[in-house]
Amino acid sequence: MITRQPLTSRFGRVKDITDVAAYEQLQGYEGLNQVLDATETQNLNTLIEGALWSRSGNGTNVAVDCQEVLTNEAETKYIICNADEGEPGTFKDKALLRSDPLAVIEGMTIAAYLTHAQVGYIYVRGEFRDLILELMQTIENCRAAHLLGKSIFDVPGFDFDIKISESAGAYVCQEPAALFNAMSGATGRPGGRVTPTKAGFYKQPTLVEDAETFANLPVLYRLGAKAYQSLGTSESGGTKLVCLTGQVKNRGLFEVPIGLELTTILNDPEFGGGSQDGTPFKFIHLGGQSGMILPAENITDLIYSPEALQAEHLTMGTGAIVAATEAVNILDYLVPVARFFMDESCGKCPACRIGTVRIYEALQTLQKQEGVPGDLTRLAHMVDHVASQASCFVGQVVANPIFSAMAAFPEEFKAGVDWQAEVVKEVPW
Amino acid sequence: MDNTMTLTKKVALIHSFEPEPDAAVNILLTLQQATKDAYVDEASARLVADYVGLTLANIYELVSYYPALNEQPQARYVLTFCHSAPCAVSDNGFIEKTLHQILGIDEGQVTDDGLLAYQGVACVGACEQAPFIKIKDHIFPNLTTDKIQQLVADLKAGHFDDIL
Amino acid sequence: MGTVDHRPKITIKPMLNQYSNLAEAVNLEQEDTRDKKEKRQDARKFIVDLEISNHHLNCLECPKDGDCGLEKEALATGMMHTTFHGRKIKDHKIDCTNPFFEYDPEKCLLCGKCVQVCHLRQGRDVLSMGRRGIETRIIPGYGDTWDKSVCESCGNCVAVCTTGALTTKNHKSYRKWETTTVQTTCPYCGTGCQIDMVLKDGKIVDAEPANGPANKNLLCVKGRFAAFNFAQSKDRLTKPLIKKNGKFEKVSWSEAIDYIAKRFTELKTKYGPDSLAGFACSRSTNEDDYVLQKMVRTAFGTNNVDNCARVCHAPSVHGLGMTLGSGAMTNTIKDITTDVDAILLIGSNTTEAHPVIGVQIRSAVQHGAKLIVVDPRNIDLVKNSKLHLQLKAGTNIALINGMMHVIIEEGLADMNFIEQRTEDFDKIKALVADYTPEKVAEICGIDANLIVEAAEMYAKAKKAPLIYCLGVTEHSYGTEGVMSMSNLALLVGKLGKPGCGVNPLRGQNNVQGACDMGCDPFDFPGYQKLNTPGVVEKFEEAWGTKLNPNVGKTSTQVMPAAGEGKIKGLFIFGEDPIVTDPDTNEVRHDLENLEFLVVHELFMTETAEYADVVLPGLSYLEKDGTFTNTERRIQRVRAAIKPLSGVKQDYDVFTEIATAMGYPMHYNSASEIMDEIAQLVPTFGGVSFDRLENPNGLQWPCLDVHDPGTPIMHVHEFTRGKGLFMALPYHPAKELPDDKYPFVLSTGRELYHYNTRAYSERTEGITELAGLGRDKSYIEMNQVNADELGIKDGDRVRVSSRRGTLETYANVGQRVLPDAAFMTFHFPDGNANIVANPMTDDIARCPDYKVCAINIEPV
Ligand code: SF4
Ligand code: SF4
Ligand code: SF4
Ligand code: SF4
Ligand code: FES
């Protein structure tokens, strides 16, 4: 009988999460041992059949990336676990690192074995001092047990070690180009596009994933492709960590099998448990601040799987779901969303640097019901221009929440405008 | 924590890292955390710059760019609250107002005794505990106006001196 | 690890977020009917709207009006005003703390070009793009204002800014469309930077970097900001002055010239031609200096003509002339700073004395060149260096001998090269056998390992230039020091090749030219030696007069000779020996002892006060001509402004004096003079003003009109045939510290001022930046000594030597070694030359400015 919640199965069950022996007692490193026993082809096939999609919201197939890093020859290759988790409403990677860091490390080690990478980094918020100290301890323990270092697991030539790179907070570092800059000591601003698997960190082939994706690897190999995949759907294997926030009764982290109905996640007592005050939900914000805002009536049949969401132009994103009831006006919700993008603009592109401020201001005007005719068109065009002129995802994704909200709740936007006003704003662009 | 950082201690701390540019942020964060006023002063920045092989301007760019690094001396306790949307839905909007009322200062200002300040930040991953206040690594969850009042009183009375 | 056999194929199915509801969103109010092209055009408008919504929009007041990238884009898109009313950047205060330029954050587009220029080209790294989002701005230093940063005020960041964000203060007075530009060559150091002088209504209002071969669009603070004010300053001399009854009186040109001719002729008749002498000006043009030396040799009838290279690089001319056959830089600036593996820098504080070469060295280091600094001071480039050999002043020769010892010992010498292209290798081999690293380490006061490392680094590098400056020449064994340089380069075969060579950095803008033009008691123009048979005859024929066949006196011999009454009449063209020459008291006495002194100058200088006649001169901005920079590159000087009313072309003054003395001379233009030079000087054979219109100028040797010039010398053969090794033992300096005078003083330059400051002090901002932030002299000393003597930084101290005493301010730190000291000679309130050492080397007769025993005591 396999657990339906393999990622969180060890949560709270070990006294010392840095203790390698305790981890091993709870099936730790079984996945890696499977990998060591199989051929490269077998391992890659397992990964393909397991259908593991990246959990960080970037929508890539982990098998593809691994294969690319493997085939791109280089002296040093890197495995980077981006656990910075800047997306508001998301705390799954922190939870993993706090409760089961060895799973992430095992996953990274598997990835290193698959791709012939030698150096790993965990990129994590420097503010979380206690978490970093525990992580350092865990890595030390692994080194002592020859699970990190030179010729680990008694496999000659299998060299892999992990360092910690501390982040000082920048959402834009989800963008690999910015991440690599930040990790190398430059300022975390993107300097153009990069293809990590080809020319990533220090221009070397690099696999970048979030902690959750790495934590999935040991599970996949331990269970085998079939069993792993069967946890989810035929196209996407495994489970997903979901962060429920807002006005759900049970806020927090849940591990759900991929393919569940979205309403189940929200309302089932095992998960969200419905709204706090029992009233129906008005909307959800799916996948993080960069995701779409959906009116509750539109999600009744939605399946929570990458492919089903994709069909609706949606994604799971980071697994964040914010739910709100009728009590929340959509503009009240959007103003802090816009503020987030404004605060996180790195300042490189004019469209994003100034445009996000103007969007924030426009939403505030509507929120205060001080809009005049022309303002809604201006807002729409503004968002469109910012999204198309910005050079990285930060500026580009602004459109997702705003456009989806405008489409879903046009009346609330219209209510922000004084249609009798004499001033009419021109829309020159 | 020992809050007095002598030059020798600073240098020792810096030298416990690799002398590479990629260690800069790690060093700066560690240094800041170990310093009484929790900020990176120019002298320390220069030490770090020389050690890792970056320029002072590089270091300044890092310090001024990242919210977790401070250019200015900080209050003894900086009460941070989340101003991201998920927490807004969880009604944490009252925290800022309440703190403003109790402390009589604006966001980013410091009380006259240098003890307290409050600051809105983006999501810190404690959304499930909103409304909350975070001080250093410590979260005070599910707050009400009364609880905030109590918290401020406790801080002033020094009840948290040992954990924060 | 697993074997790679068959790798499975996977099909990629992207799952990207995409926003797709614009249509719906827009339809809230009205339908969107734009096509793709219109949308793109709109996007451009939108960006302009955003930018100007966060802009300090005052085009009328803005220096950039009419030349602004943003204005242009606004015009192109038709977005002339913003449709937003939102907030702007909070920290919007204009930073005007730099004396020469300002930064307005509200006009900054954050294009980052200034940051890049400062980082990659200037190599100074002052700027960062600080903060984030709308608060992003350019910030100097550690979140400071410009004045508190390490900015060198080169203005190169300003030059690349497309908007009014970074503008010069000069720029406030003009707009682009009212101006024209004239390209000319910088009048300060020997780098030879090209400058565009910006003119409005016939007046120079600003200067901008031009794309010259030596400066590639860069300038230093002096070229950028201090190269034109002095020419337009109110205290220029405008009329000839004759001293009557101890007071200067304004007289007409004809009176002055007649008087000068009469007095010189009298002296010549009474005491013989060799009682006269003339000093040329290494700041003036080749053409002027050529005519001056011609006047001295023909009309005066003596070879007592010299220029200030005597007190700086004469040892290079003599030393390298002897060993290689030519005393100039062997390679080009670009060549020795691009794509080299190592740089051996000896006795050159490049970033201050030759700033634009200095920044190119910094950028060579950024591109991987290993820099070895040999300097008793902790100069700025030490920061960029791999090795710093902080030797005691005056021990260069020992060090080089030691390095050669290591190179021979380790088999790193280039034996092929030595065999085929050099002579006297055995002698040098025998000599340096004694100079073990340990022994040398003892003499130089450095670690023996450093000597070995430096020798290996230099010898093993594929391309490694040796660059040196006055730290090698200005010694009592300076010429020997120079020959040591060529010894070392010959030993490893690093001559006649790209990225190598022996490269003396010449000090003044045209000191190379003054030497080339024969302002030298030993040589006619083009280093044609007086004592080479046939040379005197050649010039006699060309100039149509009998010439004096005897070698003349150097300037350092002329002065004492004047003191002894052997020199009676002296013509000084643009020099100020009281300020520049060592042992000021002695110099004053020498000048007083002259029977007749003429000084030809821009300003009333200390030396001019001693003259019987003072003639007003023209600045480089008022004349056509050429300067030859340190890399032998002849470049045009172009008259940008009209000559000051009543002032003659300098060469006209010389020809008129000569004519009045009975040797008729006349030239219609500078170009005509150059044609004569080309005829008489083989290495200038192909040089003409027409050809010099080429933006790269011409590098001599340029033998005929088809010769493109010579970037790298000695490629197949040395000018003298074979490269000559000179076995030179180390001797201690002629003046050594003792109990009474325990410190070793070296003198030198700093970035902001130039020599006597005649040019630089006439730009206000320079004075603000210079020295200890005040217009005062200072002496650098080590903390250790300061502590012993109870002297604190900024204290007043008394400095004395065997020659004199002065008072100045202490600058205490680690820049100089213990028991060493450093002073500049820029400041009248404490001119180092009062105490400096006039003892010269025996060959080139250059004084030892670098080793002088002094005492320092608190006041
Ligand atoms: S879109 Fe925004 S965050 Fe991204 S690079 Fe441009 S300014 Fe920076
Ligand atoms: S920078 Fe350009 S747009 Fe701005 S005020 Fe100056 S001229 Fe006008
Ligand atoms: S070059 Fe000018 S516009 Fe560009 S970042 Fe620098 S100051 Fe701003
Ligand atoms: S003036 Fe020169 S040194 Fe100063 S900031 Fe600009 S480029 Fe850098
Ligand atoms: S949104 Fe407030 S802590 Fe996450």
Side-chain angles (χ1 to χ4, degrees):
Chain A
M1 161 70 194
I2 57 166
T3 164
R4 306 287 299 159
Q5 300 182 322
L7 292 175
T8 48
S9 64
R10 274 181 294 264
F11 281 27
R13 284 173 62 203
V14 266
K15 264 227 325 275
D16 180 3
I17 54 151
T18 72
D19 180 1
V20 176
Y23 176 69
E24 280 172 341
Q25 268 171 17
L26 297 172
Q27 296 173 308
Y29 283 109
E30 279 181 18
L32 183 54
N33 284 325
Q34 295 293 335
V35 172
L36 296 177
D37 288 343
T39 66
E40 184 172 90
T41 313
Q42 284 169 337
N43 282 331
L44 274 177
N45 276 326
T46 307
L47 195 52
I48 295 166
E49 284 158 26
L52 170 58
W53 292 87
S54 167
R55 301 301 195 237
S56 64
N58 66 12
T60 53
N61 186 311
V62 179
V64 176
D65 283 359
C66 277
Q67 199 184 20
E68 273 170 22
V69 176
L70 172 64
T71 32
N72 289 323
E73 297 295 331
E75 205 145 288
T76 313
K77 299 181 189 179
Y78 296 95
I79 303 291
I80 294 178
C81 168
N82 186 351
D84 187 38
E85 224 173 28
E87 190 72 61
T90 312
F91 37 82
K92 64 190 175 65
D93 283 359
K94 280 180 272 285
L96 276 169
L97 289 179
R98 270 192 205 286
S99 307
D100 198 8
L102 280 158
V104 179
I105 292 174
E106 184 186 346
M108 291 174 73
T109 315
I110 292 175
Y113 187 79
L114 296 179
T115 58
H116 303 189
Q118 301 90 335
V119 184
Y121 281 92
I122 300 179
Y123 186 66
V124 59
R125 279 289 154 108
E127 297 136 83
F128 302 121
R129 222 57 225 163
D130 47 352
L131 190 156
I132 287 182
L133 292 177
E134 276 176 352
L135 208 48
M136 284 178 177
Q137 188 56 53
T138 314
I139 291 172
E140 269 317 315
N141 294 349
C142 287
R143 288 186 187 136
H146 298 290
L147 308 178
L148 286 176
K150 298 252 178 233
S151 297
I152 50 178
F153 297 90
D154 297 326
V155 180
F158 184 12
D159 300 344
F160 183 66
D161 207 343
I162 294 179
K163 301 180 197 175
I164 295 174
S165 179
E166 292 178 29
S167 128
Y171 179 57
V172 65
C173 289
Q174 312 264 54
E175 179 87 20
L179 173 70
F180 301 146
N181 277 344
M183 289 179 54
S184 68
T187 309
R189 290 192 179 103
R193 297 236 153 234
V194 295
T195 316
T197 52
K198 219 156 113 202
F201 192 43
Y202 292 131
K203 302 256 181 308
Q204 303 305 310
T206 304
L207 182 75
V208 190
E209 285 299 345
D210 62 346
E212 183 185 356
T213 310
F214 284 117
N216 266 284
L217 284 172
V219 179
L220 194 163
Y221 284 101
R222 190 179 80 226
L223 302 180
K226 262 228 151 57
Y228 174 80
Q229 183 258 308
S230 69
L231 288 171
T233 67
S234 59
E235 287 176 70
S236 320
T239 58
K240 175 80 188 101
L241 294 178
V242 173
C243 308
L244 291 181
T245 57
Q247 288 164 320
V248 283
K249 200 155 157 210
N250 312 324
R251 294 181 294 179
L253 183 75
F254 299 93
E255 183 173 5
V256 302
I258 289 179
L260 216 58
E261 282 183 8
L262 201 46
T263 42
T264 312
I265 298 174
L266 287 171
N267 297 323
D268 194 291
E270 197 191 331
F271 305 117
S275 77
Q276 280 159 6
D277 59 5
T279 60
F281 288 122
K282 173 179 170 184
F283 67 87
I284 62 163
H285 194 177
L286 187 65
Q289 303 289 278
S290 56
M292 305 286 186
I293 290 174
L294 308 170
E297 66 260 27
N298 287 6
I299 61 166
T300 39
D301 301 323
L302 258 189
I303 301 296
Y304 195 64
S305 76
E307 62 276 12
L309 294 174
Q310 157 89 6
E312 307 290 327
H313 298 297
L314 302 170
T315 77
M316 297 199 292
T318 60
I321 301 175
V322 189
T325 63
E326 283 297 340
V328 180
N329 179 291
I330 194 68
L331 286 164
D332 291 341
Y333 181 76
L334 276 180
V335 167
V337 172
R339 176 188 179 146
F340 175 73
F341 289 108
M342 171 176 87
D343 287 346
E344 293 300 331
S345 166
C346 80
K348 190 177 146 234
C349 329
C352 171
R353 169 165 51 91
I354 313 172
T356 51
V357 180
R358 301 291 171 249
I359 292 171
Y360 173 69
E361 288 165 346
L363 286 169
Q364 274 185 319
T365 309
L366 293 173
Q367 185 191 24
K368 286 186 263 171
Q369 303 195 323
E370 288 169 3
V372 294
D375 270 350
L376 292 182
T377 315
R378 277 178 71 89
L379 175 64
H381 282 229
M382 226 191 290
V383 171
D384 187 31
H385 285 312
V386 169
S388 55
Q389 299 296 306
S391 75
C392 89
F393 83 100
V394 175
Q396 289 160 3
V397 297
V398 177
N400 292 337
I402 300 182
F403 281 163
S404 54
M406 284 177 106
F409 303 103
E411 292 315 316
E412 285 177 45
F413 280 86
K414 285 184 183 161
V417 175
D418 173 5
W419 294 99
Q420 259 63 58
E422 280 178 25
V423 231
V424 176
K425 283 272 181 64
E426 53 165 333
V427 191
W429 21 254
Chain B
M1 192 204 325
D2 181 6
N3 267 335
T4 47
M5 280 292 274
T6 60
L7 182 66
T8 352
K9 275 195 200 156
K10 253 190 224 171
V11 171
L13 191 149
I14 293 172
H15 284 246
S16 67
F17 290 84
E18 304 266 309
E20 297 292 337
D22 62 12
V25 174
N26 289 20
I27 300 179
L28 291 169
L29 282 164
T30 317
L31 202 60
Q32 174 174 294
Q33 227 126 27
T35 330
K36 184 157 162 279
D37 298 332
Y39 80 112
V40 183
D41 60 307
E42 182 170 344
S44 312
R46 200 181 294 277
L47 288 176
V48 178
D50 289 346
Y51 182 68
V52 302
L54 288 171
T55 65
L56 192 64
N58 291 150
I59 300 288
Y60 178 74
E61 196 172 286
L62 297 175
V63 173
S64 71
Y65 178 77
Y66 291 116
L69 291 168
N70 304 318
E71 274 178 72
Q72 300 295 332
Q74 300 294 300
R76 170 80 175 85
Y77 300 113
V78 180
L79 288 63
T80 55
F81 61 92
C82 170
H83 58 208
S84 290
C87 281
V89 177
S90 299
D91 271 340
N92 73 340
F94 76 98
I95 297 178
E96 185 179 353
K97 276 179 229 122
T98 310
L99 286 172
H100 180 82
Q101 268 170 14
I102 303 177
L103 300 175
I105 51 171
D106 286 336
E107 184 179 346
Q109 291 177 333
V110 183
T111 51
D112 289 340
D113 53 8
L115 195 68
L116 298 166
Y118 64 96
Q119 183 72 52
V121 294
C123 175
V124 294
C127 338
E128 47 177 346
Q129 302 173 58
F132 67 87
I133 282 174
K134 185 170 180 257
I135 306 175
K136 299 212 166 123
D137 261 352
H138 205 85
I139 291 192
F140 299 88
N142 304 318
L143 293 176
T144 58
T145 310
D146 289 347
K147 282 193 198 166
I148 293 178
Q149 235 141 13
Q150 187 58 48
L151 172 63
V152 170
D154 287 349
L155 287 169
K156 283 186 176 160
H159 288 175
F160 293 107
D161 266 3
D162 37 349
I163 58 160
L164 295 173
Chain C
M1 304 191 71
T3 48
V4 186
D5 37 21
H6 167 70
R7 283 190 181 127
K9 283 256 172 306
I10 317 160
T11 42
I12 306 173
K13 189 174 66 176
M15 295 196 216
L16 290 175
N17 267 5
Q18 94 196 99
Y19 63 95
S20 55
N21 343 35
L22 172 69
E24 265 176 274
V26 173
N27 284 344
L28 291 189
E29 229 171 12
Q30 65 188 66
E31 222 170 313
D32 183 15
T33 54
R34 299 168 300 168
D35 64 18
K36 263 204 179 129
K37 213 177 127 214
E38 284 168 327
K39 263 186 158 176
R40 263 203 309 272
Q41 184 60 20
D42 281 356
R44 250 177 98 184
K45 275 194 200 167
F46 176 70
I47 302 287
V48 174
D49 197 349
L50 284 180
E51 283 294 0
I52 53 184
S53 75
N54 187 34
H55 197 86
H56 180 201
L57 203 64
N58 63 344
C59 302
L60 281 186
E61 271 175 73
C62 179
K64 268 297 172 98
D65 188 20
D67 185 27
C68 165
L70 184 55
E71 234 184 9
K72 214 164 148 190
E73 184 67 6
L75 194 61
T77 54
M79 281 306 300
M80 302 307 226
H81 63 95
T82 180
T83 62
F84 292 107
H85 302 283
R87 79 174 179 89
K88 297 179 170 188
I89 178 172
K90 279 196 210 112
D91 183 6
H92 63 265
K93 236 179 91 204
I94 298 177
D95 182 344
C96 26
T97 58
N98 184 287
F100 298 116
F101 54 81
E102 306 184 334
Y103 173 67
D104 184 345
E106 254 185 49
K107 286 186 185 171
C108 179
L109 307 183
L110 277 323
C111 67
K113 281 200 246 168
C114 51
V115 181
Q116 276 174 9
V117 163
C118 191
H119 171 60
L120 296 172
R121 309 251 4 242
Q122 186 64 16
R124 193 62 174 170
D125 281 311
V126 176
L127 305 179
S128 63
M129 236 201 242
R131 315 210 177 114
R132 62 158 72 173
I134 196 168
E135 299 303 334
T136 316
R137 53 162 285 180
I138 302 302
I139 301 183
Y142 195 75
D144 270 330
T145 44
W146 238 279
D147 56 338
K148 299 212 182 69
S149 73
V150 292
C151 169
E152 304 175 306
S153 301
C154 65
N156 291 324
C157 52
V158 182
V160 294
C161 186
T162 42
T163 69
L166 269 170
T167 52
T168 65
K169 292 186 176 171
N170 285 331
H171 203 152
K172 288 187 183 174
S173 66
Y174 67 90
R175 297 294 175 265
K176 170 89 171 186
W177 66 81
E178 318 174 279
T179 61
T180 51
T181 60
V182 173
Q183 186 177 331
T184 192
T185 306
C186 177
Y188 284 102
C189 78
T191 309
C193 301
Q194 293 298 297
I195 309 180
D196 278 334
M197 289 296 161
V198 182
L199 285 124
K200 171 181 166 180
D201 303 334
K203 227 182 135 239
I204 301 175
V205 287
D206 210 347
E208 281 169 1
N211 194 6
N215 65 311
K216 297 182 273 183
N217 282 319
L218 300 175
L219 286 180
C220 84
V221 57
K222 294 188 292 272
R224 176 74 198 250
F225 296 111
F228 60 91
N229 285 339
F230 71 91
Q232 304 180 144
S233 96
K234 295 237 165 6
D235 50 356
R236 282 277 301 274
L237 295 169
T238 55
K239 278 246 154 44
L241 306 170
I242 294 183
K243 204 181 262 166
K244 297 181 178 166
N245 302 322
K247 278 183 99 176
F248 283 119
E249 280 181 23
K250 290 188 182 158
V251 298
S252 71
W253 272 104
S254 57
E255 183 182 343
I257 288 184
D258 288 346
Y259 181 61
I260 293 169
K262 186 174 130 247
R263 293 293 311 271
F264 276 135
T265 313
E266 279 169 15
L267 294 173
K268 186 174 159 188
T269 330
K270 198 162 161 199
Y271 303 106
D274 283 334
S275 66
L276 303 183
F279 292 169
C281 173
S282 43
R283 311 290 294 272
S284 192
T285 61
N286 286 322
E287 292 72 14
D288 287 340
D289 281 337
Y290 173 82
V291 178
L292 179 113
Q293 61 85 33
K294 188 172 167 187
M295 169 188 85
V296 174
R297 294 192 206 272
T298 57
F300 288 17
T302 176
N303 291 314
N304 292 342
V305 60
D306 207 352
N307 76 87
C308 75
R310 190 59 52 205
V311 294
C312 61
H313 264 298
S316 294
V317 176
H318 287 264
L320 297 183
M322 250 181 270
T323 56
L324 309 177
S326 166
M329 229 172 124
T330 58
N331 293 45
T332 69
I333 297 168
K334 182 170 171 219
D335 178 61
I336 59 175
T337 54
T338 333
D339 186 29
V340 293
D341 305 305
I343 294 175
L344 178 55
L345 186 75
I346 309 183
S348 162
N349 185 4
T350 329
T351 49
E352 299 210 44
H354 297 88
V356 175
I357 300 180
V359 305
Q360 294 179 69
I361 291 179
R362 284 202 287 236
S363 105
V365 172
Q366 276 186 359
H367 288 94
K370 294 181 197 137
L371 177 65
I372 308 164
V373 173
V374 179
D375 202 300
R377 277 170 88 213
N378 200 351
I379 57 170
D380 201 58
L381 276 173
V382 169
K383 283 210 290 287
N384 307 70
S385 68
K386 274 260 165 353
L387 298 177
H388 178 204
L389 278 59
Q390 198 169 10
L391 77 187
K392 284 192 207 142
T395 61
N396 292 331
I397 299 176
L399 174 72
I400 301 297
N401 286 348
M403 285 174 71
M404 289 197 280
H405 175 100
V406 175
I407 290 170
I408 294 174
E409 200 73 348
E410 297 192 6
L412 296 170
D414 185 342
M415 291 316 291
N416 264 340
F417 185 90
I418 292 171
E419 237 152 74
Q420 286 162 19
R421 301 205 42 194
T422 69
E423 52 197 30
D424 284 357
F425 173 62
D426 296 341
K427 292 190 191 154
I428 196 98
K429 194 174 170 188
L431 174 93
V432 302
D434 257 6
Y435 287 83
T436 61
E438 292 69 31
K439 177 177 156 184
V440 171
E442 184 71 38
I443 300 173
C444 301
I446 53 176
D447 184 353
N449 290 328
L450 271 180
I451 301 168
V452 178
E453 263 182 78
E456 287 176 350
M457 205 178 271
Y458 173 65
K460 286 184 182 164
K462 253 179 97 184
K463 287 175 159 190
L466 191 162
I467 304 174
Y468 74 87
C469 197
L470 303 185
V472 168
T473 58
E474 289 181 346
H475 283 291
S476 40
Y477 294 95
T479 309
E480 282 97 324
V482 169
M483 296 195 274
S484 289
M485 301 296 126
S486 61
N487 283 343
L488 181 61
L490 286 171
L491 184 67
V492 289
K494 288 191 179 18
L495 272 165
K497 294 176 186 162
C500 296
V502 174
N503 300 286
L505 302 181
R506 304 300 300 261
Q508 316 253 29
N509 57 328
N510 198 35
V511 68
Q512 181 70 48
C515 294
D516 299 345
M517 289 305 105
C519 300
D520 186 299
F522 309 97
D523 297 346
F524 278 108
Y527 308 98
Q528 304 179 69
K529 304 241 165 301
L530 264 133
N531 46 27
T532 305
V535 168
V536 174
E537 291 75 10
K538 170 178 171 182
F539 282 90
E540 282 180 339
E541 193 188 326
W543 291 345
T545 181
K546 211 69 205 121
L547 293 175
N548 185 335
N550 301 323
V551 165
K553 287 191 170 62
T554 66
S555 62
T556 44
Q557 289 167 322
V558 164
M559 295 306 279
E564 293 160 20
K566 286 183 194 147
I567 294 282
K568 299 290 186 187
L570 178 60
F571 188 101
I572 300 184
F573 176 35
E575 288 198 352
D576 192 1
I578 293 191
V579 183
T580 58
D581 286 10
D583 198 353
T584 313
N585 295 335
E586 193 55 40
V587 175
R588 285 181 202 275
H589 165 254
D590 297 341
L591 291 177
E592 268 163 12
N593 212 27
L594 284 166
E595 282 193 21
F596 187 56
L597 172 64
V598 181
V599 173
H600 190 169
E601 255 299 354
L602 294 179
F603 306 102
M604 200 64 198
T605 60
E606 283 195 54
T607 304
E609 299 281 359
Y610 284 77
D612 299 287
V613 182
V614 177
L615 298 174
L618 283 187
S619 73
Y620 80 112
L621 290 166
E622 302 157 278
K623 53 173 87 157
D624 282 311
T626 56
F627 289 157
T628 308
N629 79 347
T630 182
E631 48 175 358
R632 297 169 279 109
R633 193 184 298 279
I634 307 155
Q635 304 188 104
R636 275 300 310 273
V637 173
R638 294 184 184 82
I641 49 176
K642 286 213 202 70
L644 204 59
S645 133
V647 181
K648 285 176 191 277
Q649 284 296 333
D650 294 345
Y651 60 78
D652 278 341
V653 176
F654 310 146
T655 57
E656 285 174 28
I657 294 174
T659 309
M661 287 179 74
Y663 178 76
M665 246 206 279
H666 178 73
Y667 296 99
N668 288 313
S669 65
S671 162
E672 208 178 291
I673 303 172
M674 182 52 87
D675 293 342
E676 180 174 323
I677 298 169
Q679 267 174 19
L680 290 173
V681 176
T683 48
F684 275 63
V687 181
S688 68
F689 274 35
D690 273 354
R691 287 193 74 195
L692 289 173
E693 283 308 307
N694 180 320
N696 283 330
L698 281 169
Q699 281 179 289
W700 66 256
C702 171
L703 303 180
D704 55 48
V705 288
H706 306 294
D707 186 344
T710 310
I712 301 177
M713 297 188 75
H714 316 302
V715 174
H716 301 296
E717 198 182 29
F718 288 99
T719 313
R720 75 177 285 280
K722 294 223 163 179
L724 181 66
F725 279 107
M726 295 285 284
L728 302 159
Y730 156 77
H731 298 287
K734 289 181 185 165
E735 175 167 293
L736 289 175
D738 55 22
D739 284 351
K740 199 151 172 241
Y741 301 108
F743 293 93
V744 172
L745 172 74
S746 304
T747 68
R749 248 186 224 170
E750 66 164 47
L751 173 64
Y752 298 104
H753 274 307
Y754 195 82
N755 293 5
T756 72
R757 301 190 308 153
Y759 289 6
S760 56
E761 75 174 348
R762 287 176 170 84
T763 299
E764 226 173 274
I766 288 281
T767 309
E768 210 174 293
L769 292 171
L772 298 169
R774 53 186 183 216
D775 188 16
K776 296 269 165 46
S777 70
Y778 57 90
I779 185 163
E780 285 178 3
M781 61 188 297
N782 192 286
Q783 188 76 51
V784 175
N785 299 123
D787 290 349
E788 282 165 13
L789 295 168
I791 295 171
K792 284 192 301 298
D793 192 37
D795 278 0
R796 197 93 176 123
V797 293
R798 183 177 301 117
V799 178
S800 49
S801 77
R802 298 188 173 90
R803 290 154 295 274
T805 301
L806 59 85
E807 284 190 11
T808 186
Y809 294 91
N811 182 359
V812 179
Q814 303 295 342
R815 262 193 98 156
V816 294
L817 286 169
D819 302 335
F822 173 85
M823 278 187 88
T824 71
F825 55 94
H826 303 314
F827 303 100
D829 70 312
N831 186 333
N833 280 324
I834 295 171
V835 294
N837 182 359
M839 274 185 232
T840 63
D841 86 338
D842 295 332
I843 304 167
R845 307 246 160 246
C846 173
D848 195 336
Y849 284 98
K850 303 297 180 197
V851 183
C852 155
I854 58 160
N855 188 26
I856 306 175
E857 42 191 350
V859 175

